[in-house]
Amino acid sequence: MNKTWGPTPVALGRARFALWAPDRRAVSLETRDGPLIEMAAEDDGWFVVEADAGPGTVYRFRLEDDLAVPDPASRAVTGGVSGWSVVVDEESYAWRTADWRGRPWHESVIQELHVGLLGGFAGVAKRLDSIAALGITAIELMPIHAFPGARNWGYDGVLPYAPEESYGSPDELKALIDRAHQLSLMVFLDVVYNHFGPEGNYIGQYASSFFRKDAETPWGGAVAVDREPVRRFFFDNALMWLRDYRVDGLRFDAVHAIENDEFLDALAHEVRQTLGPERHIHLILENENNDSDRIGPGRYDAQWNDDFHNTMHVLLTGETDAYYRDFADRPAPKLARSLAEGFVYQGHGSLNRGGRPRGKPSDHLPPTAFVSFLQNHDQVGNRALGERLTLLTSETKLRAATALLLLSPQVPLIFMGDESGSESPFLFFTDYRGELAEAVCEGRRREFVSFPAFANPETRMRIPDPNAKSTFDRSKPLPGPNAASWLDLYRRLLAIRRTKITPHLVGARSKGTDAVGDAAVLARWQLGNGTVLSIAVNFGDDPVTFPPVHGTVIYAESLAGSPDSVVAWLASP
């Protein structure tokens, strides 16, 4: 029998339950209002039982040493990640956009959101009208699966099938997605398949082989995706979000930590084969290895391009610590390569890897195979004090960078608050208790020992405690003092992108890029209709001379110290 994690309806008011627990000799199903029901031991460590259990049934599994655990494939939980699982009626929600088929990938303009900071699923839904009116075409939700406590980035989740209880119910999540589709907004979801969080993960107590004994990730035990039950756990999770919740795509977090390319390829194949071509389904990778082999038709649509961000950050701020070391030398040529070819590191030696090569050639890929950004949850939140670029560079340079981001053919991603010039920090936050809370706080501060600003214990105490509620509250993205000006800039740039650039992105390719001096670039792309898009931008303090503009200027902004700091134009080939 093909084993499927989680409850499966078999008749009205009746469900089949299955748990892979190869380390155990006996497992029972326990409902809150009924007796223990012994589950049948089947082949390969599975325990299975059918029972009367309609929607709303509260249940968990009891192991032979009297340990009670929630279903790791719970579709909902009550009482937190150590509480009870809840049977959910997947058909109960009445979709208003049942005919929604999504949008093509090249139309994507993405905004990354943290659901908890924005008031849960209902709070995000209230913001969708203004998001769509700005010109954004997709929202990307940071991980929403259940985690311990009431506050978390989402990357410490332990029940990947269950929407976080404090954010709202499964139907409230569906209502959010439904409303987005009414506004022609796509919804992408960030999922974490490389590790589980440190609290509330009980799988290792009954299925130790779910995890690899020969590998660890920076966040915990690596998952053993070469085992069929483990692989099935994640395949079915991806299909659940795409099928039952009708999300338009998934962003897979830190897949380099999975260390199994065959699993990634098989996952993409399973999604494509199961859901077919009727909908636009988009799959996006975060892969520190710059592995261009995973991207292409029938596989993954795109990868987050950290190289673009890192190069831009050096140009905008002058910071060269930590992972910015690889981008400190001659950043303008590196930006030129990123705009033309996607990855900066395509097999080049990396200082951060002790000189070892990083990446594979990417110049054969279209510009839309790369998701570019100036900020995201990682790049802001992994700073000790969570500062945004509004506090790290000049407004004039940041406006020029925003124009480059939103007008270049790569798929742009903006972080919540960027559009309003927010100066609120985005800090790392959790909600642990006791020894784990102390360990997380100390570990967070220890991360920055090598940074000169936090070299001594006294200065490290300035780093906020991740578990303090004030850390969470401070991270809410309040509009900045020049919010109206920033909103106007984003609205104008996205209107230009929508009318002049997006319709011709299919078939776009680089026509070459040039570094102009130490901090300026001139980039050209031939769009699908033959028109050439050119963008000249200067991030330096000294004026530079660009070639004369031949064509129709679609955007220009004169910035202090340079009359032609950013200009974009279209011309016949």
Side-chain angles (χ1 to χ4, degrees):
M1 181 186 297
N2 181 34
K3 303 302 190 300
T4 301
W5 294 81
T8 303
V10 295
L12 185 63
R14 193 167 176 82
R16 173 182 170 276
F17 298 85
L19 181 70
W20 188 58
D23 298 349
R24 297 291 178 158
R25 294 172 298 175
V27 178
S28 296
L29 173 70
E30 179 181 8
T31 60
R32 191 148 64 181
D33 301 320
L36 286 177
I37 304 173
E38 184 177 355
M39 302 176 71
E42 297 193 355
D43 58 310
D44 301 326
W46 283 95
F47 291 84
V48 180
V49 71
E50 289 188 10
D52 292 334
T57 298
V58 176
Y59 72 99
R60 60 187 178 184
F61 298 120
R62 188 166 291 277
L63 310 179
E64 76 266 21
D65 57 359
D66 209 32
L67 174 66
V69 298
D71 187 341
S74 303
R75 268 46 173 191
V77 295
T78 182
V81 297
S82 297
W84 296 76
S85 301
V86 182
V87 175
V88 171
D89 182 358
E90 301 292 355
E91 306 298 326
S92 64
Y93 183 80
W95 291 91
R96 296 167 293 178
T97 55
D99 58 348
W100 170 261
R101 295 295 177 264
R103 301 179 64 155
W105 172 247
H106 71 273
E107 295 183 1
S108 298
V109 175
I110 308 168
Q111 184 171 42
E112 187 185 25
L113 306 174
H114 186 279
V115 173
L117 289 172
L118 300 182
F121 301 135
V124 174
K126 292 177 182 178
R127 294 173 177 256
L128 294 179
D129 287 85
S130 60
I131 289 172
L134 193 64
I136 292 165
T137 64
I139 59 170
E140 180 178 309
L141 307 180
M142 289 174 63
I144 60 171
H145 56 291
F147 52 75
R151 305 176 298 278
N152 196 285
W153 264 26
Y155 298 90
D156 291 326
V158 292
L159 296 175
Y161 287 76
E164 166 55 31
E165 187 179 5
S166 64
Y167 293 172
S169 69
D171 278 1
E172 286 176 306
L173 172 56
K174 291 177 180 178
L176 160 61
I177 296 166
D178 209 6
R179 179 57 185 157
H181 291 168
Q182 284 185 311
L183 296 168
S184 296
L185 285 168
M186 294 180 284
V187 180
F188 303 149
L189 179 61
D190 197 345
V191 293
V192 183
Y193 292 169
N194 57 71
H195 75 287
F196 289 77
E199 180 182 316
N201 172 26
Y202 296 98
I203 295 179
Q205 299 190 43
Y206 51 80
S208 58
S209 52
F210 196 101
F211 302 96
R212 294 172 55 185
K213 293 182 173 60
D214 62 338
E216 288 278 326
T217 75
W219 314 283
V223 290
V225 295
D226 55 322
R227 294 182 178 273
E228 180 56 29
V230 180
R231 175 174 300 220
R232 193 74 258 156
F233 184 88
F234 293 112
F235 282 14
D236 288 346
N237 182 260
L239 291 170
M240 179 198 75
W241 294 119
L242 293 163
R243 182 186 56 232
D244 299 341
Y245 286 89
R246 303 193 185 189
V247 301
D248 299 279
L250 300 172
R251 182 262 191 187
F252 299 91
D253 178 67
V255 299
H256 49 271
I258 297 175
E259 298 184 341
N260 190 311
D261 292 338
E262 187 275 332
F263 165 79
L264 296 175
D265 293 343
L267 173 57
H269 178 77
E270 174 111 355
V271 168
R272 304 296 186 193
Q273 289 295 111
T274 302
L275 298 177
E278 290 78 18
R279 291 171 55 198
H280 292 288
I281 297 294
H282 306 306
L283 305 178
I284 309 140
L285 295 174
E286 181 196 22
N287 190 341
E288 194 176 86
N289 294 328
N290 282 4
D291 185 0
S292 55
D293 291 347
R294 311 274 73 79
I295 304 169
R299 288 172 289 171
Y300 294 87
D301 295 88
Q303 178 178 312
W304 272 29
N305 192 1
D306 282 338
D307 286 5
F308 173 85
H309 164 272
N310 293 346
T311 308
M312 289 294 299
H313 192 89
V314 170
L315 284 165
L316 291 172
T317 70
E319 294 182 351
T320 57
D321 291 331
Y323 45 77
Y324 296 125
R325 288 193 308 158
D326 272 344
F327 303 86
D329 182 44
R330 304 178 69 236
K334 287 183 171 66
L335 176 59
R337 183 189 300 161
S338 181
L339 291 170
E341 302 176 10
F343 299 143
V344 172
Y345 282 83
Q346 303 180 33
H348 303 77
S350 163
L351 291 173
N352 292 327
R353 296 190 175 195
R356 297 188 305 276
R358 171 176 173 250
K360 296 178 181 178
S362 60
D363 59 342
H364 62 288
L365 294 171
T368 52
F370 305 94
V371 177
S372 297
F373 40 84
L374 300 175
Q375 303 189 115
N376 63 37
H377 74 274
D378 268 334
Q379 311 299 353
V380 182
N382 283 336
R383 298 181 63 85
L385 302 179
E387 307 101 320
R388 293 173 178 262
L389 285 171
T390 44
L391 300 179
L392 298 174
T393 190
S394 70
E395 181 171 336
T396 53
K397 289 182 180 180
L398 186 53
R399 288 176 70 92
T402 301
L404 177 63
L405 173 73
L406 298 184
L407 297 182
S408 70
Q410 297 185 10
V411 170
L413 176 142
I414 66 175
F415 189 50
M416 59 178 187
D418 287 358
E419 76 286 2
S420 62
S422 179
E423 296 182 355
S424 304
F426 180 70
L427 300 160
F428 176 68
F429 50 82
T430 54
D431 186 23
Y432 295 124
R433 299 287 188 271
E435 293 183 2
L436 180 57
E438 294 176 9
V440 168
C441 183
E442 178 55 32
R444 174 68 174 169
R445 290 169 176 165
R446 195 165 50 244
E447 283 181 38
F448 299 96
V449 168
S450 61
F451 288 74
F454 302 99
N456 65 70
E458 184 175 327
T459 56
R460 286 199 297 277
M461 290 304 293
R462 293 172 49 222
I463 299 173
D465 178 357
N467 299 290
K469 187 173 183 298
S470 58
T471 303
F472 172 84
D473 291 336
R474 289 175 58 203
S475 299
K476 295 177 181 178
L478 301 177
N482 297 322
S485 176
W486 282 107
L487 287 166
D488 178 68
L489 176 68
Y490 272 83
R491 193 175 294 111
R492 286 189 291 122
L493 289 170
L494 290 176
I496 294 169
R497 183 181 186 89
R498 181 176 64 253
T499 58
K500 305 293 186 182
I501 299 172
T502 297
H504 312 300
L505 281 178
V506 174
R509 59 185 177 86
S510 173
K511 290 280 286 182
T513 56
D514 299 301
V516 183
D518 296 329
V521 296
L522 171 62
R524 309 175 190 87
W525 300 268
Q526 183 169 306
L527 302 180
N529 66 344
T531 301
V532 175
L533 167 67
S534 301
I535 304 178
V537 59
N538 179 22
F539 298 111
D541 296 322
D542 299 320
V544 298
T545 301
F546 289 115
V549 172
H550 294 291
T552 302
V553 174
I554 57 174
Y555 180 80
E557 185 162 0
S558 297
L559 306 179
S562 181
D564 56 357
S565 283
V566 58
V567 59
W569 66 94
L570 294 169
S572 299

